[in-house]
Amino acid sequence: MNLRPPSSPPSSPSGLPDARRDPWGPLAAGTPGPALLDALRTARRNRNLLLLRVAHRHHRADPDWAAAVALLAEVRRARPAVHAELWGGPEAGAWLARLAAAGPPAGGDTTGRLPADLARFAAAAALRAGLPFRIRVPVADGTALVLPGTGAAVFAAPGPRTAVVHRDASGAFVVRDGAPPLPLRAAAASGGAGDGGAGRWWPMPRLRLGPHATVRLDTLDPLRLGGPDPLPPRPLTLDEETGWRQRLHAAWHILTERHPDRARTITETLRVVVPLAGADANGWRSASFADATGLAALSPVDDPVELAADLVHETQHSLLYAAMDLAALLHAPPGARAEAPWSPRPRPPAALLHGASAFLVTAAFWRTERRLGNPAAERPYTHWRHTADSALATLAAHREWTTEEGRRLLGALRALLASWD
């Protein structure tokens, strides 16, 4: 399998396209054009492929790793678009970052849970590509086999730590030793999942929000919330899935009717919504993660305008994370911190930069709502504008924390804010 990333289109010294037209202005506004969006997607996919290439050097002697690489090579030959989508996705980014953080295998031991997970990605890609295949895949804690972006087989009791996923002329199945084959069928959630959904295959719900906008509702992936500890899959009940479909469709209507430029940006960026509930929510209203661009974790907000604002906010984080793959924006000393208006504790420069960018775009959303006559828009507009302004002032007071490109972004953010006066 060729693990080299595809070549990128010509770009500016920062790595961003359209240097003469200044990419920082559209990025600061949260409405980058098609060329810039394509460059950001390509940058994140290339970053993930480079991490995979490094991991391959460490684990290629492992037979299970080699089998997964061989299957991924088949996918790339047969369906290159499926291969590209897989490695540009947030699930791949989250897993590869943890694999890289684990470092080389100790004493030459290439076995382990994280490397074994490559088979999960290979099986998921082969299923999407419609290829016949057979591969052994890890079963977390003997109870859950999760295929990224696809679904999960949840078993009734702990058993063998691996199972076989295969697809042939009769269909796709999971086979675990001592148990009958479990068909992998696309079926809607049914009944309650209070038992954890044991004894069945749970396909990941996909929501078509518009002609070109589709997102996955992910409560299954073990790394869905970006933390160091894997989470068990939590299949959605029928009522939960229906509720999320209704919320997201209502928010999408607000975006397409009142904020069409932002709707187009979200269409090109957002791939996964992680519903926050119970202990998983961790006190968050919404969240995104540096390694998982294109993913937004959202609380079940029933006000469609509020939920639309959350989608705009988290999408801006994804755009900036991807831009930071292409351009170094910060060179602050280790341990640098400053007060942030949204946090009770001092935050590092990267958090301040992200906050300034995402809260300014959130303020811009509410500014449009105010202009369109929404009486509830004045308060959030004023609040988030002040929040972004405060973060920008802090960064301006620590000019040494930013690179030349970082200062260009800050200049674009300040220019946008000044244009509202």
Side-chain angles (χ1 to χ4, degrees):
M1 175 184 180
N2 181 1
L3 294 174
R4 290 177 295 176
S7 59
S8 301
S11 60
S12 73
S14 70
L16 294 166
D18 297 328
R20 289 171 297 178
R21 293 166 50 189
D22 182 13
W24 297 119
L27 187 65
T31 53
L36 181 51
L37 284 167
D38 184 63
L40 295 176
R41 285 192 299 269
T42 300
R44 181 44 60 115
R45 184 172 65 250
N46 285 356
R47 174 254 200 192
N48 290 343
L49 286 169
L50 286 169
L51 289 175
L52 181 62
R53 187 180 184 189
V54 171
H56 183 64
R57 293 174 182 167
H58 298 318
H59 301 289
R60 58 189 173 188
D62 175 18
D64 292 333
W65 179 276
V69 166
L71 182 54
L72 285 164
E74 289 185 42
V75 172
R76 186 170 189 173
R77 283 192 295 268
R79 296 284 303 280
V82 171
H83 188 270
E85 180 185 1
L86 175 76
W87 295 115
E91 301 92 345
W95 171 68
L96 284 163
R98 279 149 190 79
L99 188 60
D109 179 11
T110 60
T111 62
R113 182 186 61 79
L114 278 170
D117 280 346
L118 184 63
R120 299 196 298 115
F121 287 90
L127 284 170
R128 290 180 217 167
L131 299 180
F133 71 95
R134 183 179 185 87
I135 190 168
R136 187 165 292 278
V137 176
V139 177
D141 299 322
T143 59
L145 183 152
V146 182
L147 300 184
T150 305
V154 181
F155 300 106
R161 293 302 182 99
T162 63
V164 171
V165 180
H166 73 93
R167 184 179 186 276
D168 55 25
S170 62
F173 301 88
V174 170
V175 181
R176 193 169 67 154
D177 293 346
L182 181 63
L184 277 58
R185 297 194 182 101
S190 59
D195 61 352
R200 61 166 293 181
W201 167 256
W202 291 86
M204 188 170 294
R206 290 175 177 260
L207 277 64
R208 182 171 289 278
L209 300 175
H212 308 291
T214 302
V215 297
R216 301 186 287 276
L217 272 182
D218 191 355
T219 58
L220 302 174
D221 194 280
L223 298 178
R224 61 188 179 272
L225 289 183
D229 299 321
L231 298 170
R234 187 185 66 80
L236 290 172
T237 66
L238 178 59
D239 286 346
E240 286 177 312
E241 183 179 328
T242 299
W244 275 103
R245 288 182 182 276
Q246 292 172 345
R247 291 183 195 99
L248 288 168
H249 278 293
W252 194 247
H253 177 75
I254 295 293
L255 288 164
T256 54
E257 293 297 316
R258 300 166 73 87
H259 308 265
D261 287 348
R262 303 203 182 282
R264 282 191 287 272
T265 300
I266 293 170
T267 294
E268 296 297 325
T269 307
L270 187 67
R271 295 293 176 263
V272 176
V273 167
V274 175
L276 294 173
D280 284 357
N282 202 31
W284 296 326
R285 161 71 177 266
S286 65
S288 51
F289 310 100
D291 299 319
T293 60
L295 179 149
L298 301 173
S299 295
V301 175
D302 289 322
D303 183 326
V305 184
E306 292 277 358
L307 187 57
D310 289 344
L311 286 167
V312 168
H313 180 94
E314 299 305 338
T315 296
Q316 185 68 5
H317 280 301
S318 276
L319 294 175
L320 188 52
Y321 284 133
M324 293 172 83
D325 289 342
L326 285 171
L329 304 180
L330 298 163
H331 59 189
R337 296 287 189 276
E339 298 296 326
W342 59 86
S343 174
R345 55 193 173 88
R347 304 295 291 143
L352 288 164
L353 182 60
H354 266 273
S357 176
F359 286 125
L360 188 62
V361 167
T362 305
F365 170 90
W366 287 110
R367 183 172 183 267
T368 299
E369 283 293 305
R370 187 183 68 161
R371 178 176 58 80
L372 294 174
N374 183 343
E378 182 65 38
R379 183 175 179 179
Y381 165 64
T382 302
H383 175 74
W384 296 123
R385 175 177 176 165
H386 172 75
T387 299
D389 189 21
S390 177
L392 287 171
T394 299
L395 288 166
H398 295 277
R399 181 179 171 86
E400 72 279 4
W401 286 357
T402 50
T403 65
E404 180 181 352
E405 294 293 344
R407 289 189 286 274
R408 287 177 180 172
L409 173 58
L410 291 178
L413 293 168
R414 287 193 297 267
L416 177 62
L417 188 61
S419 72
W420 297 346
D421 294 331

